[in-house]
Amino acid sequence: MTLSCFTSREQRFAEEGEMAESRCSSRVRLMAFLALLFALFSTGDSVAQVPLLMWSSDGLPALASTAAGHITSKEQLAAYLSSAFKSGPHTVLLFLQDKLSKDDFTVFGGVFGNKQDGAFGNLEAALHSSSSVMFPALEWLDSSAIPALLQEKLGVSPLLVDADTLPHLSINTSASNLLIINLPYCTSFGKSCKEVLHDNDGIIGKVLSVMKDKNVLYTAIYTGLKPSRVISEASLSVHPAGRSLLQAVVPEVKPPIMFNVSGNPCVMLWAQNLNISLTGETAWIDLAAQVPSLTGSTCNSSNSLLVLTYSSGYILSNTLLLISSFAMSQRFYPVSARNWFTLDSVQLQANGQTSSFTGSRNIYAPAEYSFHCQSVTSFRDILLVANKTNPSPLWRLNFIDFQIQGFGLANGTNFSYASDCAGFFTPGIWMGLLTGLLFLWIFVYGLHMIMQLNTMDRFDDPKGPSISVPQSE
Amino acid sequence: MLLECMMNGHAILYTGVTLAFWSTILIVGLCYTIFDLGFRFDVAWFLTETSPFMWANLGIGLAISLSVVGAAWGIYITGSSILGGGVKAPRIKTKNLVSIIFCEAVAIYGIIMAIVISNMAENFSGTTPESIGARNYQAGYSMFGAGLTVGFSNLFCGICVGIVGSGAALADAQNGSLFVKILIVEIFGSAIGLFGVIVAILQVK
């Protein structure tokens, strides 16, 4: 309903006396805004469009009314012009404004109940008095489309005239004529847009009156060379419809270090960082950033060894080869009646010296699962205990987001369920819970005992004399 | 109708709390079983990760507090009987203070044990179970055990002596010759508190 009111604005030029004004004016602003919004946010491709108004003093074939927003294609216009110009010679006046858009009518046409401010008085009168058709949105591809099309339909070449030269022109009505009147559009300096359009309207009126004086039957077309406003939207293919995450793209996660036996991974290790540093120095070297070779790794049902050899010389200035090895073993523990694996040792070998760390105490998980820990260090919340050596250990380890599995890998390249080093409650929480609940229990017990103390009522005698406490000595 | 079935507000509260407790245990246990996370239920982890200091201090606290509860309960029972009986027979007052003293002895056992145990608590260095060492764990658990031993045995001893003393006071009020015989019963009752003390000392040696 709202959009039909919008198109009826154009039709009001032709159908005067409608009471549509009062009906629509209150909604027209909203509709214009909504239409603008719709045009702005519609996901369709924008096509440049130009309106075309056509009126004739000797009748025009009817034009089937189209849906609002429908963009008339050039073929449709050509078909209509063929049907309009099929019989006999026609004189066609083409008022070609430099730029024209539907919005010019909206802004300057006095459509908000202020008809007296409208800049298209003569145009409206002409549309009203003659039979007229309107193409509110004509597909615009290039400037010369309309003149070329008219030229083709009429079979004559165009003649450029203006309002002053027209009275002196004699028009041969036995042949078709195509007269083009160029009208300017607003520029940023000089007269205001409204004045320019008003002047154009005056030119149209003058030309039409000249034609009337000459008693020439004409068909007039008012259109623009190019649209004055093009609202372009992004095409559908660039921004697909639908929702998408707004956050930054998550970077690709690197795959784990896999040691394959007969095609399938047998030992897998993943860490965000495998930081090592010499004791006493503060610089950390991240082994996970480099690709190691896995020679020397073994994997069978009870022992797995993952040997990572880093052979680049730039790790340390005087290191050619850095070998880190992770040794795991699994066996059956009768008390819990299941197989557990432990990371027995992590060895770091460089320059002929070896540092060894024991992890069997802290790094363990059921054999079917993988072990994961956010922080595996040798110096802070120690999980890897350095073996006692005469000088203190050469290296310090700091593995971040560490996950390892040496047995039970049947699931392709995925880790099994990760048994995490962090449980739900920490030991401190358990201690607090124990003592706290104990206190609570004692308190409740005492409270219960006190609350069941009653005042003795064995010797109460409601009928006897009540106790009297003398006030005076 | 449901309210009539209930005994009183306390019973509702206790029923509710017990129900909540057991259902929590049940559901947590069920989840552990279903998701094959039973390996996470690790009593050994709990016993080695919790600090031995907690256990030692719990033992000390329970030693004195449970003993005092027993003594207080006993004195409360005996005292009210003596006071009541003394209204009609004032002669029982002095003699029956012995019962009160037997009850008080229980509290004294408790405080002595608490001081003895707390003197054995020392600092140790070590943060991991290996570095703490088995001896420290043993010390912590022994102190906890000793505290429990002396605490509970004194608790029941105190109640026992109290009830017997109350009976003695009332019997004495009726018939003065009964008191000495009943005192023997009280001595037996007091001995059990002593047993607890002896065992506790053996535990922390």
Side-chain angles (χ1 to χ4, degrees):
Chain A
M1 181 195 73
T2 53
L3 287 170
S4 68
C5 210
F6 177 77
T7 53
S8 78
R9 246 190 307 114
E10 267 83 26
Q11 279 158 17
R12 268 194 289 125
F13 289 102
E15 298 151 3
E16 263 235 33
E18 272 289 345
M19 288 302 111
E21 213 181 282
S22 53
R23 253 191 296 135
C24 292
S25 62
S26 59
R27 293 192 294 259
V28 161
R29 269 195 202 93
L30 176 67
M31 285 185 301
F33 177 68
L34 284 174
L36 194 64
L37 224 55
F38 180 75
L40 273 170
F41 293 125
S42 78
T43 54
D45 288 331
S46 92
V47 179
Q49 354 159 332
V50 167
L52 188 140
L53 307 176
M54 190 162 155
W55 64 99
S56 171
S57 53
D58 65 349
L60 283 174
L63 178 68
S65 59
T66 54
H70 174 79
I71 298 174
T72 316
S73 67
K74 204 166 135 207
E75 291 74 26
Q76 285 174 314
L77 177 67
Y80 180 77
L81 288 175
S82 303
S83 68
F85 296 142
K86 60 172 179 278
S87 54
H90 293 266
T91 305
V92 176
L93 294 164
L94 178 61
F95 294 102
L96 207 55
Q97 194 169 285
D98 276 350
K99 295 187 198 173
L100 185 66
S101 274
K102 235 189 315 199
D103 308 294
D104 293 323
F105 293 116
T106 316
V107 178
F108 302 113
V111 298
F112 300 106
N114 52 342
K115 200 171 266 307
Q116 63 278 11
D117 298 331
F120 299 104
N122 294 326
L123 185 62
E124 283 186 54
L127 288 170
H128 178 66
S129 59
S130 328
S131 64
S132 61
V133 297
M134 262 174 290
F135 296 91
L138 194 58
E139 185 185 40
W140 180 85
L141 292 164
D142 62 70
S143 312
S144 55
I146 308 281
L149 186 62
L150 285 169
Q151 207 176 326
E152 183 201 323
K153 294 293 169 197
L154 293 170
V156 288
S157 46
L159 187 64
L160 265 170
V161 295
D162 62 42
D164 302 318
T165 61
L166 190 59
H168 312 295
L169 195 69
S170 62
I171 298 172
N172 183 5
T173 51
S174 58
S176 292
N177 296 297
L178 175 60
L179 307 170
I180 297 184
I181 299 113
N182 278 327
L183 300 171
Y185 190 66
C186 344
T187 51
S188 42
F189 28 79
K191 292 196 262 197
S192 75
C193 234
K194 196 160 181 182
E195 282 179 24
V196 170
L197 291 172
H198 192 73
D199 291 342
N200 289 351
D201 189 60
I203 293 172
I204 292 175
K206 222 187 327 183
V207 164
L208 292 180
S209 66
V210 164
M211 296 301 286
K212 199 155 155 221
D213 290 340
K214 287 187 194 269
N215 255 338
V216 174
L217 292 172
Y218 61 89
T219 304
I221 298 177
Y222 179 44
T223 186
L225 262 180
K226 40 171 148 359
S228 63
R229 281 175 191 77
V230 176
I231 300 157
S232 60
E233 300 97 15
S235 73
L236 205 59
S237 57
V238 174
H239 296 294
R243 296 154 75 168
S244 60
L245 293 173
L246 291 176
Q247 71 179 55
V249 176
V250 176
E252 256 320 296
V253 178
K254 62 179 190 286
I257 298 169
M258 291 187 278
F259 173 66
N260 295 333
V261 162
S262 60
N264 290 327
C266 196
V267 182
M268 294 218 297
L269 168 73
W270 192 90
Q272 189 186 319
N273 299 90
L274 290 168
N275 290 325
I276 60 172
S277 88
L278 287 166
T279 320
E281 284 185 30
T282 54
W284 289 98
I285 302 156
D286 186 9
L287 295 180
Q290 294 142 40
V291 179
S293 88
L294 301 175
T295 51
S297 308
T298 63
C299 178
N300 61 33
S301 58
S302 61
N303 286 298
S304 289
L305 176 69
L306 183 71
V307 178
L308 307 174
T309 311
Y310 300 89
S311 60
S312 43
Y314 61 84
I315 293 179
L316 295 172
S317 51
N318 52 358
T319 319
L320 283 177
L321 211 68
L322 189 83
I323 302 177
S324 69
S325 67
F326 299 82
M328 290 172 279
S329 66
Q330 70 137 325
R331 69 176 180 88
F332 180 75
Y333 289 79
V335 174
S336 57
R338 78 188 298 160
N339 291 329
W340 295 75
F341 85 88
T342 56
L343 180 66
D344 293 325
S345 78
V346 176
Q347 279 189 341
L348 214 55
Q349 207 176 327
N351 282 348
Q353 290 174 308
T354 309
S355 290
S356 177
F357 301 87
T358 311
S360 55
R361 177 67 183 78
N362 299 304
I363 301 181
Y364 60 88
E368 312 84 62
Y369 300 144
S370 61
F371 171 83
H372 172 267
C373 200
Q374 183 63 28
S375 160
V376 176
T377 67
S378 69
F379 56 94
R380 178 185 67 214
D381 295 329
I382 296 172
L383 284 182
L384 289 170
V385 182
N387 287 350
K388 299 242 181 291
T389 52
N390 249 339
S392 57
L394 199 59
W395 298 96
R396 292 185 305 164
L397 304 179
N398 182 10
F399 301 154
I400 296 176
D401 203 355
F402 176 83
Q403 185 160 7
I404 194 166
Q405 181 163 7
F407 308 95
L409 270 169
N411 201 2
T413 55
N414 290 338
F415 280 107
S416 305
Y417 170 80
S419 162
D420 204 285
C421 64
F424 190 72
F425 283 151
T426 67
I429 295 176
W430 282 119
M431 284 160 51
L433 275 176
L434 187 76
T435 40
L437 288 175
L438 180 71
F439 289 161
L440 201 67
W441 186 75
I442 292 169
F443 173 70
V444 166
Y445 190 68
L447 200 68
H448 170 79
M449 287 211 284
I450 289 176
M451 288 199 299
Q452 58 157 8
L453 290 174
N454 293 318
T455 319
M456 200 154 97
D457 59 1
R458 177 182 277 275
F459 300 112
D460 280 351
D461 184 15
K463 295 200 178 83
S466 62
I467 300 170
S468 68
V469 180
Q471 289 289 350
S472 59
E473 270 294 299
Chain B
M1 194 179 94
L2 202 61
L3 277 171
E4 287 158 16
C5 292
M6 287 296 190
M7 291 167 278
N8 51 29
H10 295 162
I12 298 170
L13 177 68
Y14 297 146
T15 316
V17 170
T18 312
L19 202 66
F21 175 72
W22 288 115
S23 61
T24 310
I25 300 275
L26 183 71
I27 288 169
V28 169
L30 214 60
C31 284
Y32 271 120
T33 314
I34 291 172
F35 297 122
D36 191 27
L37 291 172
F39 68 92
R40 283 256 177 229
F41 182 77
D42 199 347
V43 177
W45 175 88
F46 173 69
L47 291 177
T48 50
E49 292 292 326
T50 54
S51 167
F53 283 128
M54 177 192 82
W55 298 109
N57 287 302
L58 266 182
I60 295 164
L62 286 173
I64 180 64
S65 53
L66 290 173
S67 307
V68 166
V69 168
W73 208 331
I75 294 172
Y76 146 62
I77 296 170
T78 308
S80 21
S81 295
I82 295 172
L83 287 169
V87 170
K88 287 290 189 183
R91 57 183 167 76
I92 66 167
K93 287 192 315 286
T94 326
K95 256 204 292 190
N96 281 280
L97 283 178
V98 161
S99 305
I100 304 279
I101 289 166
F102 274 127
C103 288
E104 186 68 24
V106 156
I108 290 174
Y109 299 155
I111 194 167
I112 286 171
M113 277 314 299
I115 292 173
V116 164
I117 295 172
S118 67
N119 277 338
M120 296 181 171
E122 293 166 349
N123 268 330
F124 57 82
S125 67
T127 47
T128 66
E130 292 90 0
S131 54
I132 292 174
R135 291 196 53 131
N136 285 322
Y137 282 114
Q138 195 237 345
Y141 295 130
S142 303
M143 290 194 241
F144 179 65
L148 274 186
T149 307
V150 72
F152 276 112
S153 66
N154 284 342
L155 170 70
F156 295 118
C157 169
I159 296 171
C160 160
V161 169
I163 295 174
V164 172
S166 150
L170 295 173
D172 192 23
Q174 286 281 4
N175 181 355
S177 63
L178 288 171
F179 181 69
V180 179
K181 300 284 188 337
I182 291 169
L183 212 56
I184 297 169
V185 179
E186 267 195 60
I187 291 165
F188 278 116
S190 194
I192 57 177
L194 214 52
F195 297 159
V197 172
I198 291 166
V199 170
I201 288 185
L202 288 175
Q203 279 182 307
V204 291
K205 250 178 95 66

